[in-house]
Amino acid sequence: MIMTDTVQKDTAQPPKKVYLKDYTPPVYAVDKVDLDIRLFDDHAVVGAKLKMIRAHAGDLRLFGRDLKLKSIHLNGQELESQAYHLDKEGLTILDAPDVAVIETLVEISPQTNTTLEGLYQAGTGDDKMFVTQCEPEGFRKITFFPDRPDVLTEYTTRLEAPKHFKTLLANGNLVESGELDDNRHYTIWHDPTKKPSYLFAAVIANLEVLQDHYTTIEGREVLLEVYADAQDIDKCHVGMQALKDAMKWDEDNYGRAYDLDRYMIVATGQFNMGAMENKGLNIFNTSCVLSSPETTTDERSFLVKSVIAHEYFHNWTGNRITCRDWFQLCLKEGFTVFRDQSFSGDFRSKAVQRIEDVAVLRAAQFAEDAGSLAHPVRPESFVEINNFYTMTIYEKGAEIVRMIANFLGKEKFRQGSDEYFARYDGQAVTVEDFLSAMSVADARVMDFLAWYRQPGTPVVSGGYRVLGDKVIINLSQKTRHVPNYDAPVALPIPVDTAIFDSLTGEMLASRMLLLTTDNAQFEFDHIQLSDGAHPVVSVLRNFSAPVKIDFDYTDEDLASLVAFESEGFNRWQALQILMNRWLSGSVEDATLIISVIQKAVDELIEDDPMLAARLFDIPSQKELAMAYDENYDPISVKARRDELIGKIADGLLENAKLWYQKLPLQAYEDTPQARGRRLLRNVLLNLRLTAGDEMAHQDAYHQYDNASCMSERLGALMAMIEHNLDKKDSYLDDFYAKFSHEDLVIDAWFVAQATPDSTSVSQIASLMERTDYDWNTPNRVRTTLSALAAKPVQLWTAEGLDLYLSSVVRLDGSNPQLAARLLSALARWNTLTADKKAMAQEKLAAVTSQVSSKNVLEFLQNMQTVA
Ligand code: ARG
Ligand code: ZN
């Protein structure tokens, strides 16, 4: 029976903070749930039947947002309106019995849901599809439910829709499907695994499917499916292969096999994040699953593989063992990022993988940790959990697991992870639980808890002295005191250290040092140097801890390390330190930098061209900004950086011409070697253009015209735009025309134009006025705004900030998650020079009255309390 509609009341209250310390276990367990989702032209109807069993004293509370309640029954009886209380966030049933079967019927409007959370429409016209995003709290926008990660239950899902949506998917196994009147049909899915609601997924679409099979180490035959638009289905092979590689890798490295008969991946063009690990039914942003040589750069294609692996790895680290509450988000994300980084490192040069991961960590996570949005890897409070899918939780979270793994060594780490999986399978747990399982291998693992609780990037300083045949290394640590947190404590910091002979380059000793106090000394005995040599110390090898390092290397020692450090990451690292010294003025002459690059590239160009390419990395503007807690002037920092780029280009032009000749265009291959050659060729092309090499213009056109793949084509196009070559406009037009039906390539077309320094704010603004600039597609929105955010000289002007902040305001109503994420790029506004700082302060304050989402309001408030 249908009651009159009951609409949730809007009680406008200030955003409420939730605290980790207030955690209480769920009052009711849900034994099982039956869902019935029926899609109609302009709405959907969702029926839910929950069998709930009391576990503790208290009210029966179900979360629900933007739901129109049509009816509610308790144990078969329709509930009178005074028997329950409905508010904006959900409903409470008063005096509910210990066993309560609740049946609700609600109406929702996926067609008008622009938040990309809950059940929403993606795409328009013939491409229209309906997908879900439930993590972290989207399920409550589909039906009333105890939507929290520690309520695990068994789902049966019926989907019903018009037949032109031929794809009807939900988690688990397909148990039934059939036809209905009115050109409608249905499917019924059953997921045998108990899971939290954030892992629920459903798809109603019209997609093609690529199928494959995998037999697990346990002998299970698994059907693998990747669903995409017909025009994209041939771009799913890379992802499919990555999925099989990931399944095998997890068996080999962690002893973990897949546990259902079916694994599905669905690609959608409108998605806020990269992808989502829903049980047996991952939903992916097209940008993180589609890949073909013609349309996808090497960099992107590599990302596709790593995101596929990431979501697959969640099946154990996240799904089978999940989080007790959202404060523990890093438990699944940190561990899973560490796992996907390790996987990726096994498919390319490990050094390059580490360089890329560390470059991101340093530019983005260190900046976050140094700014007004700094928070611990496990936060203790939040207003909007969506605001905490951050670099700190993901990347610093991964670094902590990596430190534990390195500290334990391979075997003991495996012993700890085996214990974790055995002990907590099927449960919702905490960071403490993770550490306690790991500590079966070594009790000191528990000390790493401090890393989860304390914000701020530690600075490790040190040096060494020689005493006879001993080398004595002293190290000290210091972490800034982040306002509103306890005074920082000393953390356990693994410092992987080696000693080399300055003349022979031979490694004489190496050891993992563990700094656990503010200061400590470590001795290396019996260091046998060759005649006339001195020891060259190399610390924090492979970036053994997420810290800033300030070690008193001599410039010559750094140059030696670039030449002979056997660990590739530290070769790169030594060069980065030298560059930083030049940029900060403590090294005057750039010739040392130029000569070490030249020698190293000569040596690496054949065997590891990817590492050779990375040696040209100049510390990013964002990283350089971190040196300033106040008076940061983007213009002078950029000028100094450009000067170094110019000096390196001039100094290496003749070499670059020769190197370039060694890298002719070749037929496409997807190997580390071929990818490295393509990257190095693009780097050298840019270098030659920077140095004013006229011949390089023709080479850019030639590379575009004869490109075998997108890395070559886009590399050439970006170089033409960056260096303002004569024919750049006609090439841009050609590119657009060739790829006008490929949304992801058109995204790249926007990025290519918005990125160069020569593109002004008003040019970016005009890109955003185009009709193909779709404000409802996050990928498209990010093309220009992320480019602007990466250009501090333009961002921190009145014009730049106006464009940026007006976009945040515009998105606040339609997609608050995206709006808040964009806003967070301004978190270090308070470190600017006085005039820019005052301007930013005023403009940020003006935004407050124009927005209403708790996502944006929470960030604005946190950003403003640091002024
Ligand atoms: N768990 C997903 C991943 O790590 C991210 C989903 C986050 N979604 C969100 N709306 N905040 O791949
Ligand atoms: Zn994840």
Side-chain angles (χ1 to χ4, degrees):
M1 194 237 254
I2 304 289
M3 297 179 6
T4 47
D5 293 356
T6 318
V7 178
Q8 289 172 262
K9 296 174 207 82
D10 189 345
T11 40
Q13 268 162 6
K16 224 176 73 211
K17 246 189 189 178
V18 275
Y19 293 89
L20 169 60
K21 63 174 168 45
D22 293 341
Y23 172 83
T24 52
V27 173
Y28 279 82
V30 181
D31 186 48
K32 55 180 185 164
V33 57
D34 292 313
L35 290 173
D36 182 17
I37 301 179
R38 284 175 283 155
L39 181 76
F40 299 96
D41 277 353
D42 61 355
H43 69 283
V45 175
V46 181
K49 181 175 177 183
L50 283 61
K51 185 170 176 208
M52 305 188 70
I53 298 166
R54 183 181 292 282
H56 294 278
D59 289 335
L60 193 160
R61 173 82 180 151
L62 303 175
F63 294 105
R65 266 169 55 201
D66 308 330
L67 306 174
K68 207 188 268 178
L69 182 63
K70 308 290 272 186
S71 74
I72 177 165
H73 288 72
L74 170 61
N75 291 339
Q77 299 287 314
E78 180 146 7
L79 274 187
E80 302 290 321
S81 63
Q82 64 275 20
Y84 63 95
H85 174 80
L86 199 62
D87 58 66
K88 210 187 165 216
E89 297 293 328
L91 70 77
T92 306
I93 299 179
L94 312 168
D95 305 319
D98 291 352
V99 175
V101 176
I102 311 269
E103 287 167 271
T104 58
L105 196 68
V106 302
E107 192 181 303
I108 56 178
S109 176
Q111 289 83 357
T112 57
N113 177 1
T114 57
T115 61
L116 312 190
E117 184 185 54
L119 177 64
Y120 64 91
Q121 177 181 325
T124 50
D126 288 345
D127 293 337
K128 175 166 32 166
M129 64 194 280
F130 293 85
V131 295
T132 53
Q133 171 55 36
C134 294
E135 183 182 2
E137 298 180 336
F139 193 68
R140 64 189 64 185
K141 295 175 87 175
I142 297 174
T143 191
F144 285 101
F145 197 80
D147 183 19
R148 38 185 287 172
D150 56 352
V151 175
L152 281 68
T153 191
E154 202 181 305
Y155 287 71
T156 303
T157 305
R158 181 179 179 281
L159 298 172
E160 182 193 311
K163 269 189 204 156
H164 60 263
F165 294 113
K166 67 177 187 208
T167 316
L168 304 180
L169 310 174
N171 318 80
N173 304 314
L174 180 64
V175 292
E176 195 183 316
S177 63
E179 316 251 313
L180 298 164
D181 291 346
D182 292 339
N183 252 328
R184 294 171 69 80
H185 65 159
Y186 72 94
T187 56
I188 299 178
W189 296 78
H190 176 244
D191 186 353
T193 331
K194 280 179 177 276
K195 65 169 176 286
S197 50
Y198 82 86
L199 292 174
F200 172 80
V203 173
I204 298 173
N206 187 16
L207 300 172
E208 295 297 309
V209 60
L210 174 72
Q211 295 184 320
D212 207 330
H213 293 270
Y214 183 84
T215 309
T216 71
I217 198 166
E218 295 167 347
R220 180 187 293 271
E221 269 292 320
V222 185
L223 171 64
L224 310 178
E225 298 189 312
V226 183
Y227 289 84
D229 275 344
Q231 74 148 4
D232 290 331
I233 202 72
D234 60 336
K235 303 187 192 86
C236 296
H237 296 279
V238 170
M240 181 65 90
Q241 186 58 46
L243 176 59
K244 292 194 280 182
D245 291 342
M247 294 177 91
K248 172 88 167 69
W249 191 92
D250 214 15
E251 292 175 350
D252 292 347
N253 290 277
Y254 286 85
R256 301 296 111 197
Y258 187 59
D259 53 358
L260 292 175
D261 301 333
R262 193 166 179 152
Y263 193 92
M264 296 172 277
I265 289 176
V266 174
T268 176
Q270 280 165 322
F271 202 73
N272 270 335
M273 313 277 286
M276 179 62 213
E277 70 265 22
N278 316 302
K279 184 76 187 186
L281 177 54
N282 291 181
I283 296 179
F284 268 67
N285 189 324
T286 45
S287 73
C288 290
V289 60
L290 303 181
S291 174
S292 76
E294 297 73 33
T295 56
T296 314
T297 61
D298 292 334
E299 200 187 0
R300 191 33 89 171
S301 175
F302 209 82
L303 183 78
V304 162
K305 297 172 198 167
S306 76
V307 178
I308 298 254
H310 178 97
E311 307 310 335
Y312 176 73
F313 295 154
H314 268 314
N315 191 53
W316 273 95
T317 48
N319 300 4
R320 287 184 67 142
I321 302 181
T322 195
C323 302
R324 187 193 71 173
D325 53 73
W326 289 120
F327 296 100
Q328 321 292 332
L329 181 58
C330 64
L331 173 82
K332 73 177 178 81
E333 295 306 343
F335 196 177
T336 304
V337 170
F338 171 64
R339 279 150 56 70
D340 82 57
Q341 290 176 349
S342 313
F343 166 83
S344 298
D346 284 352
F347 287 82
R348 69 198 302 192
S349 137
K350 279 202 175 19
V352 171
Q353 179 67 32
R354 193 66 186 131
I355 288 167
E356 288 181 8
D357 292 336
V358 172
V360 169
L361 182 83
R362 238 187 227 150
Q365 195 281 322
F366 282 16
E368 185 169 89
D369 233 345
S372 53
L373 299 179
H375 55 275
V377 173
R378 183 174 63 185
E380 305 208 330
S381 70
F382 59 74
V383 171
E384 170 54 64
I385 181 57
N386 269 305
N387 282 349
F388 285 84
Y389 286 74
T390 61
M391 293 302 291
T392 297
I393 278 153
Y394 277 67
E395 310 300 322
K396 190 175 179 183
E399 293 297 322
I400 303 177
V401 180
R402 177 184 296 271
M403 284 190 287
I404 294 171
N406 286 338
F407 165 70
L408 288 175
K410 211 176 155 89
E411 265 167 44
K412 285 187 170 181
F413 182 67
R414 177 66 192 267
Q415 186 195 344
S417 70
D418 283 352
E419 175 71 18
Y420 177 65
F421 295 125
R423 207 193 274 183
Y424 298 117
D425 190 12
Q427 298 183 39
V429 305
T430 62
V431 167
E432 282 83 351
D433 293 328
F434 170 70
L435 294 177
S436 104
M438 285 287 167
S439 70
V440 297
D442 187 321
R444 288 172 294 173
V445 168
M446 285 318 286
D447 300 341
F448 285 84
L449 183 60
W451 273 101
Y452 288 94
R453 305 172 67 143
Q454 181 166 295
T457 306
V459 180
V460 172
S461 331
Y464 70 94
R465 63 206 155 83
V466 181
L467 204 70
D469 67 352
K470 280 190 205 317
V471 174
I472 301 167
I473 294 176
N474 63 289
L475 294 172
S476 65
Q477 61 169 300
K478 194 169 169 43
T479 304
R480 80 176 175 113
H481 188 175
V482 180
N484 303 321
Y485 288 90
D486 290 346
V489 298
L491 300 168
I493 301 180
V495 182
D496 191 3
T497 302
I499 297 174
F500 296 87
D501 183 296
S502 65
L503 294 179
T504 65
E506 196 193 333
M507 187 164 85
L508 305 173
S510 76
R511 204 163 90 213
M512 182 72 82
L513 312 176
L514 188 67
L515 176 65
T516 56
T517 49
D518 287 341
N519 306 287
Q521 284 205 357
F522 304 88
E523 280 188 21
F524 284 82
D525 297 330
H526 312 300
I527 298 299
Q528 305 286 327
L529 293 163
S530 62
D531 269 356
H534 68 270
V536 179
V537 176
S538 184
V539 296
L540 208 70
R541 300 179 86 207
N542 207 26
F543 208 64
S544 57
V547 301
K548 292 182 191 163
I549 186 83
D550 175 17
F551 196 76
D552 65 5
Y553 294 111
T554 65
D555 298 339
E556 290 66 33
D557 284 355
L558 289 169
S560 304
L561 288 176
V562 182
F564 57 57
E565 166 57 287
S566 47
E567 201 272 293
F569 173 84
N570 260 28
R571 293 183 80 167
W572 176 83
Q573 169 66 21
L575 189 51
Q576 292 285 300
I577 297 174
L578 270 180
M579 289 184 185
N580 268 302
R581 286 186 182 179
W582 187 91
L583 290 163
S584 69
S586 64
V587 166
E588 299 217 330
D589 189 352
T591 46
L592 183 63
I593 294 175
I594 292 166
S595 76
V596 297
I597 297 179
Q598 187 234 306
K599 286 195 202 105
V601 173
D602 269 338
E603 179 213 318
L604 288 165
I605 189 164
E606 302 290 342
D607 295 336
D608 196 346
M610 183 72 84
L611 181 57
R614 299 310 305 231
L615 294 180
F616 294 90
D617 288 352
I618 314 283
S620 70
Q621 174 102 4
K622 217 169 163 184
E623 188 183 330
L624 298 173
M626 231 122 35
Y628 302 85
D629 288 328
E630 54 181 10
N631 267 317
Y632 165 50
D633 171 21
I635 298 172
S636 63
V637 170
K638 177 171 186 307
R640 184 79 182 154
R641 188 173 181 273
D642 286 346
E643 197 184 331
L644 181 58
I645 294 172
K647 279 189 188 293
I648 292 174
D650 291 344
L652 290 173
L653 177 59
E654 293 313 313
N655 302 85
K657 289 180 184 169
L658 295 173
W659 291 327
Y660 193 87
Q661 279 170 15
K662 289 193 183 177
L663 301 164
L665 294 176
Q666 283 171 345
Y668 177 81
E669 264 187 289
D670 188 18
T671 60
Q673 191 72 12
R675 292 192 297 261
R677 291 167 66 90
R678 289 192 284 267
L679 179 66
L680 184 56
R681 187 188 308 115
N682 284 338
V683 166
L684 294 171
L685 181 62
N686 262 299
L687 184 148
R688 291 170 55 207
L689 289 165
T690 304
D693 176 4
E694 292 287 335
M695 286 295 294
H697 295 218
Q698 289 315 315
D699 286 336
Y701 302 139
H702 179 264
Q703 179 171 322
Y704 182 100
D705 293 334
N706 297 282
S708 72
C709 62
M710 185 49 82
S711 278
E712 290 170 356
R713 198 182 298 278
L714 188 62
L717 183 67
M718 293 194 66
M720 289 179 215
I721 304 172
E722 181 84 48
H723 299 281
N724 208 11
L725 304 199
D726 293 342
K727 298 192 196 160
K728 68 165 202 245
D729 289 327
S730 66
Y731 277 93
L732 263 172
D733 292 346
D734 177 78
F735 190 85
Y736 194 96
K738 266 198 176 66
F739 297 107
S740 59
H741 300 296
E742 302 281 353
D743 289 345
L744 297 171
V745 184
I746 299 305
D747 286 343
W749 181 86
F750 274 92
V751 171
Q753 291 174 86
T755 301
D757 292 326
S758 54
T759 306
S760 65
V761 173
S762 63
Q763 286 170 310
I764 295 180
S766 8
L767 283 171
M768 294 170 69
E769 270 148 29
R770 294 174 54 97
T771 50
D772 53 359
Y773 189 83
D774 176 10
W775 286 88
N776 285 320
T777 300
N779 291 349
R780 188 62 49 92
V781 171
R782 279 188 284 256
T783 57
T784 54
L785 293 173
S786 302
L788 178 55
K791 297 198 291 184
V793 170
Q794 294 177 12
L795 177 68
W796 300 112
T797 58
E799 214 194 350
L801 277 178
D802 285 343
L803 177 63
Y804 201 82
L805 288 172
S806 64
S807 308
V808 170
V809 170
R810 174 171 185 159
L811 291 162
D812 171 72
S814 59
N815 188 340
Q817 275 181 42
L818 177 60
R821 192 161 289 269
L822 289 170
L823 178 64
S824 69
L826 307 183
R828 278 176 55 83
W829 67 273
N830 57 315
T831 59
L832 290 161
T833 50
D835 51 337
K836 289 195 189 301
K837 181 172 164 176
M839 174 184 69
Q841 181 163 32
E842 193 182 309
K843 291 188 188 292
L844 283 168
V847 169
T848 311
S849 61
Q850 302 174 61
V851 293
S852 59
S853 73
K854 53 179 186 166
N855 310 56
V856 172
L857 284 170
E858 176 179 30
F859 273 171
L860 271 179
Q861 183 162 13
N862 291 348
M863 284 165 68
Q864 285 168 309
T865 45
V866 294

